[in-house]
Amino acid sequence: MGPATEHPLRYALVNELHARPSPRLKAPSTCVFVAFKEPRDAANRDLARDMAHLSELVDRHGGPRPDPDESHYQGRLGRHDLKWESHTEFVTYMATTPGLPIRPFDPSAAAIFSEEWQKGAPGRRVAAVMVQIDTLPAHPQEALDRISDWFARDSLTAVWVLEEAAMIAGDFRIDADGWMRFAIFVRPDVGEGRIGRIVHRLVELETYRAMSMLALGRARGLSRRLNELEPRLSAIVEGMTDDDRAADAVLHDLLAVSAELEAQAVQHSFRFGATKAYEAIVMDRVSALRETRFMSRQMLTEFMRRRYQP
């Protein structure tokens, strides 16, 4: 069969299935992850600026040059394996290295993403995650003792995932250096691909959690404005029974309120629609981990139900 029989998008669409593979990781290893989003109209941003920022990082570390027409990149930068992806509203960078820092969650592990380079990003940082992957101790209590020193007790989540192939722990707090921390302990027989998928789902969970909550400030501001409009609307309705008031004046006031409500709806519809979509992804990533309880500790689903979904 010749090229004339093929749909022009056939190969491109199949290749897209393999364009964003999860990293392959061994234990022990370290993953640092950042996501940047422009504060306004991020869906219509200049993608060339994102590519220039990626190219700057690659050039600093002597990695292979990215294709300016691609929305994803993978390359070796010194000791780091870098994975970059461009999404509708944000871009993500994931750098993984073998081994663990001498001090748990030492900020030096994220040196590839220097402060100077991050300040030069077209957008602002909406997620910054550090993940430590280690081998599960023979006695799970030892893992529990370690995470008790690393995370805040009141918000600690610790769960088995994927039929107890690994244990994930974190507290969804930002440390003094600006990183959200997660620890993963994997059984010795867990493969590199599976470890990579666990890490990928975890950083996606945090990224989409952050993106979904961007609407919170807008929701609060909108609630205040609606509360301000309510007495004004009530006064208009009450005034409709006043025979001394001209009908065209009442109509003018009603149209003014209606126009403002419509404007508010237009301004907020994209953000609120995106929030629903991102929230669905968050819960999908939690579900995909197939968690079970670890030594009576709080589960991800419980944390999400109590602290995130409200």
Side-chain angles (χ1 to χ4, degrees), residues 63 94 105 132 154 161 204-205 225 250 309:
M94 177 192 290
F105 299 101
Q132 290 193 173
D154 66 320
V161 297
E204 282 188 332
L205 190 161
R225 185 57 188 141
V250 175
Q309 288 185 322

Side-chain angles (χ1 to χ4, degrees), residues 281-292:
I281 296 174
V282 169
M283 303 315 296
D284 174 78
R285 297 304 183 267
V286 172
S287 176
L289 289 169
R290 303 199 301 275
E291 62 173 342
T292 52

Side-chain angles (χ1 to χ4, degrees), residues 44-272:
N44 296 313
R45 68 190 185 278
D46 182 0
L47 300 180
R49 297 179 64 205
D50 293 336
M51 184 57 66
H53 194 228
L54 168 63
S55 297
E56 179 186 347
L57 180 67
V58 169
D59 289 345
R60 284 189 183 190
H61 297 273
R65 293 282 298 178
D67 184 337
D69 296 323
E70 293 288 350
S71 60
H72 45 82
Y73 170 86
Q74 284 186 277
R76 184 78 174 174
L77 276 60
R79 294 182 63 247
H80 302 271
D81 286 313
L82 180 71
K83 178 181 173 67
W84 172 86
E85 294 184 353
S86 176
H87 299 263
T88 302
E89 289 195 275
F90 59 93
V91 296
T92 62
Y93 292 79
M94 177 192 290
T96 57
T97 51
L100 298 172
I102 297 175
R103 183 167 64 93
F105 299 101
D106 193 304
S108 65
I112 185 173
F113 301 138
S114 68
E115 185 175 351
E116 175 194 3
W117 175 81
Q118 291 194 57
K119 285 182 178 178
R124 293 293 177 262
R125 199 168 72 176
V126 292
V129 183
M130 187 177 296
V131 185
Q132 290 193 173
I133 304 101
D134 204 351
T135 303
L136 184 71
H139 301 287
Q141 181 63 45
E142 184 180 339
L144 183 61
D145 292 340
R146 289 193 214 173
I147 64 175
S148 297
D149 294 333
W150 297 342
F151 302 115
R153 186 179 182 86
D154 66 320
S155 58
L156 171 64
T157 62
V159 295
W160 289 115
V161 297
L162 304 180
E163 290 78 46
E164 301 191 4
M167 186 271 277
I168 290 176
D171 59 7
F172 291 92
R173 294 182 181 275
I174 300 173
D175 69 13
D177 298 297
W179 296 96
M180 184 171 288
R181 304 170 169 185
F182 291 99
I184 301 176
F185 294 91
V186 299
R187 295 194 184 276
D189 59 344
V190 177
E192 298 176 16
R194 199 171 209 195
I195 295 173
R197 287 191 294 274
I198 292 172
V199 172
H200 201 209
R201 289 167 182 165
L202 194 57
V203 296
E204 282 188 332
L205 190 161
E206 166 53 19
T207 304
Y208 288 110
R209 191 277 317 158
M211 291 297 299
S212 70
M213 293 185 70
L214 289 177
L216 182 59
R218 288 202 181 195
R220 288 172 173 168
L222 181 59
S223 293
R224 286 193 296 269
R225 185 57 188 141
L226 293 178
N227 288 336
E228 293 170 357
L229 286 174
E230 185 175 358
R232 180 178 167 187
L233 184 60
S234 297
I236 293 173
V237 173
E238 291 177 3
M240 293 175 71
T241 60
D242 186 353
D243 295 335
D244 296 332
R245 191 164 185 220
D248 56 345
V250 175
L251 179 60
H252 179 272
D253 290 344
L254 278 172
L255 289 174
V257 172
S258 176
E260 179 162 358
L261 290 173
E262 186 65 25
Q264 295 286 350
V266 170
Q267 292 173 19
H268 294 82
S269 60
F270 176 82
R271 184 79 274 138
F272 291 163

